[in-house]
Amino acid sequence: MNIRISALLIICCSFLLLDVTAQVTPADIHKSTMVYGTKDSLELKLDLFTNAKPGTKQPCVIFMFGGGFIQGERDNKLYSAYFQKLAQNNFKVVSIDYRLGLKGQKWPTVFNTQVLKKAIAMAVADLYDATAYLIANAEKLDIDTSMIIISGSSAGAVATLQADWEKRNSMASAHVLPAQFQYKGVIAFAGAILSYIGKPAYQIPPAPTMMFHGTADKIVVYNKVKLFNRGMFGSAYLAELFKKKNYPYYFQSAKGSGHEIAGTPMSKNLDDIMWFIHTYIEQNKHYQMDVSFKDLNNLPNN
């Protein structure tokens, strides 16, 4: 086992900690901001992007930003192209705040992952509350609640994969949502699942899941890191699990790439993402796809 466990367990997305500016959207995309909850004296807001006139019900993608559970913002300009592509293809896009559970905390270690567990649990709880808010206000917001997809980058990708896993297993954390509700899909950019109950398993098959990950990612574990009954299970591990269990998935593995894959697909793989949504979710095709590539433009100098 790689003992640089703290680097693997900390979902620290340093390259995402960029200057944040208000998101610029095309004229045909309308943005509105609202408060979906208050926790720990913190107002949690969401931005909703839509290209539709009022009264037009649309499917929805909920997005969670990256930032290592330490910092990050829902309106980082890094996500603009992704939001615009989705909105222009008739999806409502909801980018949410969530509490940053590792802010001001000591780094987790292989022997003390409780602080990381708590941070992930807080983010998942906030995602569930945002989802519950959208369901409760679906008529006013013109959201098709049978077509809610969750997506995230780095820490946000961890939270989205974790949230679908916990919901499919009817864990107590998910009881804030209607029992019959399930997410329609998951799109994760460099994510993983943290389990304290052994290898992840699903009582109900997971949502069709699209994952991007770099094989040399030193921030979020690419495959798995495990100690006794606890472990962090990354995209490569989950793809193999899905393959064995005949669950639909799309996994794009970037050979030699690092944690930049938490961000680059949101500008470079937009057509792939729309194809996945159209094929796996809208057409309900149960495919399993593994795509492996190496970017020769980013090879280190010899």
Side-chain angles (χ1 to χ4, degrees):
M1 184 179 69
N2 188 339
I3 294 302
R4 280 204 71 192
I5 195 79
S6 60
L8 292 171
L9 287 177
I10 302 294
I11 319 300
C12 183
C13 186
S14 58
F15 91 99
L16 286 180
L17 308 183
L18 306 172
D19 245 357
V20 176
T21 61
Q23 187 160 311
V24 179
T25 59
D28 61 336
I29 298 176
H30 174 70
K31 173 185 173 181
S32 56
T33 301
M34 55 204 77
V35 176
Y36 73 84
T38 302
K39 294 184 180 179
D40 302 328
S41 301
L42 178 69
E43 274 192 343
L44 297 175
K45 297 180 180 180
L46 61 81
D47 292 333
L48 187 149
F49 302 86
T50 181
N51 73 340
K53 295 179 181 178
T56 305
K57 190 165 284 191
Q58 291 180 306
C60 176
V61 176
I62 305 175
F63 181 78
M64 300 184 76
F65 59 80
F69 301 111
I70 298 169
Q71 57 181 330
E73 292 81 12
R74 69 181 186 275
D75 58 353
N76 193 307
K77 61 185 178 182
L78 179 70
Y79 313 127
S80 295
Y82 185 40
F83 294 171
Q84 290 169 21
K85 184 74 169 182
L86 290 166
Q88 289 165 347
N89 279 272
N90 299 315
F91 282 84
K92 295 194 187 299
V93 182
V94 176
S95 184
I96 69 168
D97 286 336
Y98 60 92
R99 290 168 294 164
L100 303 173
L102 285 182
K103 188 174 182 179
Q105 301 295 321
K106 292 182 179 180
W107 277 171
T109 69
V110 66
F111 300 108
N112 180 19
T113 57
Q114 282 290 337
V115 66
L116 178 61
K117 181 184 179 186
K118 182 179 179 181
I120 295 172
M122 290 168 65
V124 169
D126 293 346
L127 172 57
Y128 286 158
D129 283 349
T131 305
Y133 177 89
L134 296 176
I135 292 172
N137 293 278
E139 289 301 317
K140 179 174 69 175
L141 300 176
D142 297 323
I143 289 174
D144 179 357
T145 59
S146 70
M147 281 287 290
I148 295 180
I149 299 166
I150 49 177
S151 178
S153 168
S154 190
V158 171
T160 54
L161 288 167
Q162 190 88 16
D164 191 60
W165 176 59
E166 294 186 13
K167 185 68 176 75
R168 301 282 165 165
N169 287 290
S170 299
M171 295 185 186
S173 57
H175 291 173
V176 65
L177 296 175
Q180 72 277 10
F181 172 83
Q182 297 291 349
Y183 294 110
K184 197 69 174 180
V186 180
I187 304 171
F189 308 103
I193 287 174
L194 175 64
S195 173
Y196 268 49
I197 55 174
K199 298 175 182 178
Y202 292 83
Q203 292 178 6
I204 298 173
T209 300
M210 184 180 214
M211 296 173 285
F212 295 85
H213 217 131
T215 62
D217 195 328
K218 298 186 184 305
I219 306 300
V220 180
V221 61
Y222 171 77
N223 188 6
K224 68 176 179 180
V225 58
K226 189 172 180 292
L227 181 67
F228 305 120
N229 218 33
R230 304 175 183 182
M232 200 82 181
F233 300 88
S235 305
Y237 180 90
L238 295 175
E240 284 302 311
L241 171 65
F242 283 29
K243 187 181 297 182
K244 290 176 183 176
K245 296 294 184 179
N246 290 320
Y247 301 147
Y249 74 90
Y250 176 109
F251 175 40
Q252 190 164 131
S253 173
K255 289 188 175 181
S257 294
H259 199 58
E260 66 273 14
I261 302 302
T264 52
M266 285 182 279
S267 58
K268 295 184 177 180
N269 296 94
L270 295 174
D271 289 338
D272 296 334
I273 293 167
M274 295 314 306
W275 178 86
F276 168 80
I277 292 174
H278 179 65
T279 305
Y280 281 69
I281 298 173
E282 294 177 338
Q283 294 188 339
N284 199 32
K285 300 290 188 183
H286 288 185
Y287 294 158
Q288 294 185 330
M289 291 190 66
D290 293 276
V291 178
S292 179
F293 77 96
K294 177 181 260 186
D295 185 352
L296 298 179
N297 293 313
N298 288 333
L299 289 177
N301 294 325
N302 295 325

